[in-house]
Amino acid sequence: GQQLNQSPQSMFIQEGEDVSMNCTSSSIFNTWLWYKQDPGEGPVLLIALYKAGELTSNGRLTAQFGITRKDSFLNISASIPSDVGIYFCAGRNPPFSGTYKYIFGTGTRLKVLA
Amino acid sequence: GAGVSQSPSNKVTEKGKDVELRCDPISGHTALYWYRQRLGQGLEFLIYFQGNSAPDKSGLPSDRFSAERTGESVSTLTIQRTQQEDSAVYLCASSQTGGDQPQHFGDGTRLSIL
């Protein structure tokens, strides 16, 4: 099925470092979501974005809805070991498409070295 | 419970058997989604319910896959004559009204076809 492109696919960082990842699409979206998935569990919603240019924070996490509406960014500041996991973006097509389907990214696998 | 509940958490079955996976959404959530996640991959949309009707079945990979929902509660995903390529984690999500509402996920059913 259709998927968004996330980058990087995986990253290893040292504890305390900042992390940046992004998600790009060939289509415009009117909603972007960011999720984190731990092993053996379902994805957990981190941040929801509804407006182009919007910048939203949740603790050490900050996400932005790209101006072009074709991309979104997630930053994690001062990473800690429990940040390890897979981060997924998800975007929703404009409402006139008639679908309520979210398209999910391929995921960024984050490993934090203590 | 407060979250989306899926059962069983793990299912191992022989090729050719039928399997039934269950999802209990968050109480009051009218929208329900099924996804498939193959090992190391992103989420693949299967089907979306609004109430007990399914306006979008576009992600079901073959006629061996079907899903039902009773009112605005439990949903079952049935896979007939299972094949080895059906091995994956099947995730269920619900949201308050569909549309732009964020989806909340269960922990999934890990299906292994021998």
Side-chain angles (χ1 to χ4, degrees):
Chain A
Q2 181 184 357
Q3 289 191 326
L4 301 173
N5 292 318
Q6 269 186 260
S7 106
Q9 289 187 337
S10 63
M11 53 193 314
F12 291 78
I13 61 168
Q14 291 287 336
E15 182 178 359
E17 288 185 351
D18 295 344
V19 175
S20 291
M21 60 190 78
N22 68 73
C23 199
T24 59
S25 168
S26 57
S27 306
I28 60 172
F29 291 114
N30 64 347
T31 305
W32 285 95
L33 307 175
W34 283 93
Y35 287 89
K36 177 179 182 246
Q37 186 177 29
D38 291 328
E41 299 184 8
V44 174
L45 182 68
L46 300 174
I47 293 177
L49 302 162
Y50 298 103
K51 187 177 176 182
E54 180 181 355
L55 188 71
T56 297
S57 293
N58 177 7
R60 293 178 296 106
L61 278 62
T62 301
Q64 184 164 23
F65 193 140
I67 291 291
T68 65
R69 296 172 62 192
K70 292 184 177 182
D71 55 12
S72 181
F73 309 87
L74 177 69
N75 296 314
I76 306 173
S77 63
S79 58
I80 59 178
S82 62
D83 289 335
V84 68
I86 305 174
Y87 292 79
F88 289 102
C89 62
R92 180 173 171 264
N93 291 322
F96 59 75
S97 72
T99 177
Y100 291 94
K101 190 165 54 176
Y102 276 96
I103 308 300
F104 278 79
T106 48
T108 293
R109 285 148 184 79
L110 178 64
K111 295 194 176 180
V112 180
L113 307 174
Chain B
V4 177
S5 178
Q6 290 188 247
S7 63
S9 54
N10 287 282
K11 176 74 176 177
V12 181
T13 192
E14 292 180 346
K15 176 182 171 181
K17 300 285 189 183
D18 297 351
V19 295
E20 194 171 274
L21 313 179
R22 177 188 169 108
C23 173
D24 281 274
I26 294 172
S27 178
H29 281 194
T30 61
L32 186 148
Y33 306 78
W34 283 98
Y35 294 88
R36 179 169 67 181
Q37 186 177 30
R38 290 201 164 103
L39 186 64
Q41 302 294 312
L43 278 68
E44 179 185 356
F45 170 82
L46 296 178
I47 187 169
Y48 154 68
F49 285 93
Q50 184 65 256
N52 63 3
S53 67
D56 191 341
K57 306 180 183 179
S58 62
L60 294 177
S62 75
D63 58 8
R64 296 187 296 106
F65 287 73
S66 62
E68 292 183 343
R69 187 176 185 197
T70 305
E72 293 184 353
S73 60
V74 173
S75 175
T76 54
L77 176 69
T78 302
I79 309 173
Q80 296 178 308
R81 305 181 302 282
T82 51
Q83 303 293 314
Q84 287 188 330
E85 69 252 26
D86 299 334
S87 296
V89 175
Y90 290 82
L91 289 160
C92 175
S94 70
S95 66
Q96 282 190 321
T97 57
D100 287 337
Q101 295 291 323
Q103 297 169 21
H104 300 270
F105 284 83
D107 286 339
T109 293
R110 184 174 301 276
L111 177 64
S112 300
I113 309 300
L114 303 179

